[in-house]
Amino acid sequence: EDLVALLALYRPGPLQSGMVNDFVEAKNKQKKIKYLHPSLEPILESTYGIILYQEQIMLIASKLAGFTMSEADILRDAIGKKKKKILGSQKKKFIEGTKKVGIIDEETAEKLFELVNHFAEYGFNKSHSTAYAMISYQTAYLKTNYPVEFMAALLSIRM
């Protein structure tokens, strides 16, 4: 999990936004984890209260605003690609959906949408991060335990 998160965090957006420091401080219990609403805890617990993965955005939309996962994917895409026209209608749908679901009030829904919108710019697909983590782990293992063979293979493929 740590390697998966690290690979999602170690990109220009999260590095520049301060997300990495927030994540590290929360992980090391130097900073108290704050959730905008208690219902976010099960979704954001593994990332210490930070919206890090695109899947978390979709879960928030699904659980708190009643979106289907297909509708949540449209929201994720609109935010990620900064589709302003679609984003306006998605915000309205999100706020209306939270009223129907009834877990959070309208003021919290507005704040949550802005939070989702902000973090979605940096959100990374967890499955991609997991695949990269697997390759990173295997590479580190081979380099550590078979250094001669690793370097020979590395040199032979870099012509």
Side-chain angles (χ1 to χ4, degrees):
E1 284 294 318
D2 287 344
L3 191 53
V4 173
L6 175 70
L7 289 165
L9 284 164
Y10 196 72
R11 298 177 312 110
L15 286 170
Q16 292 168 357
S17 74
M19 284 173 65
V20 176
N21 292 337
D22 292 341
F23 184 92
V24 170
E25 288 172 5
K27 179 175 176 39
N28 292 319
K29 296 177 175 59
Q30 297 168 336
K31 181 179 186 178
K32 187 172 173 16
I33 301 169
K34 295 178 186 173
Y35 299 99
L36 186 61
H37 190 271
S39 60
L40 292 171
E41 188 171 350
I43 298 169
L44 302 178
E45 183 176 33
S46 67
T47 55
Y48 306 99
I50 296 170
I51 301 171
L52 182 58
Y53 305 117
Q54 292 175 352
E55 291 85 349
Q56 290 172 312
I57 294 161
M58 294 173 65
L59 280 173
I60 289 168
S62 174
K63 303 280 186 207
L64 298 167
F67 282 38
T68 65
M69 288 308 270
S70 178
E71 291 168 331
D73 189 48
I74 292 168
L75 172 65
R76 177 208 54 80
D77 184 60
I79 293 170
K81 294 182 180 169
K82 296 172 184 65
K83 297 178 178 177
K84 300 232 186 266
K85 262 187 172 179
I86 297 172
L87 208 47
S89 64
Q90 288 295 306
K91 180 178 181 178
K92 183 179 178 185
K93 183 176 180 169
F94 184 89
I95 302 302
E96 291 301 316
T98 60
K99 288 178 187 175
K100 287 179 188 169
V101 172
I103 296 174
I104 59 176
D105 60 43
E106 188 171 351
E107 183 182 337
T108 305
E110 291 275 349
K111 288 178 186 174
L112 180 57
F113 189 86
E114 292 311 313
L115 190 66
V116 165
N117 192 19
H118 173 71
F119 280 105
E121 292 181 33
Y122 309 121
F124 196 62
N125 186 303
K126 187 174 183 182
S127 62
H128 289 163
S129 195
T130 302
Y132 297 150
M134 199 63 197
I135 293 167
S136 298
Y137 182 83
Q138 290 170 340
T139 302
Y141 176 85
L142 292 171
K143 187 176 180 182
T144 301
N145 294 292
Y146 301 95
V148 173
E149 294 86 346
F150 179 84
M151 290 308 292
L154 187 63
L155 290 170
S156 68
I157 61 168
R158 304 256 179 192
M159 295 186 161

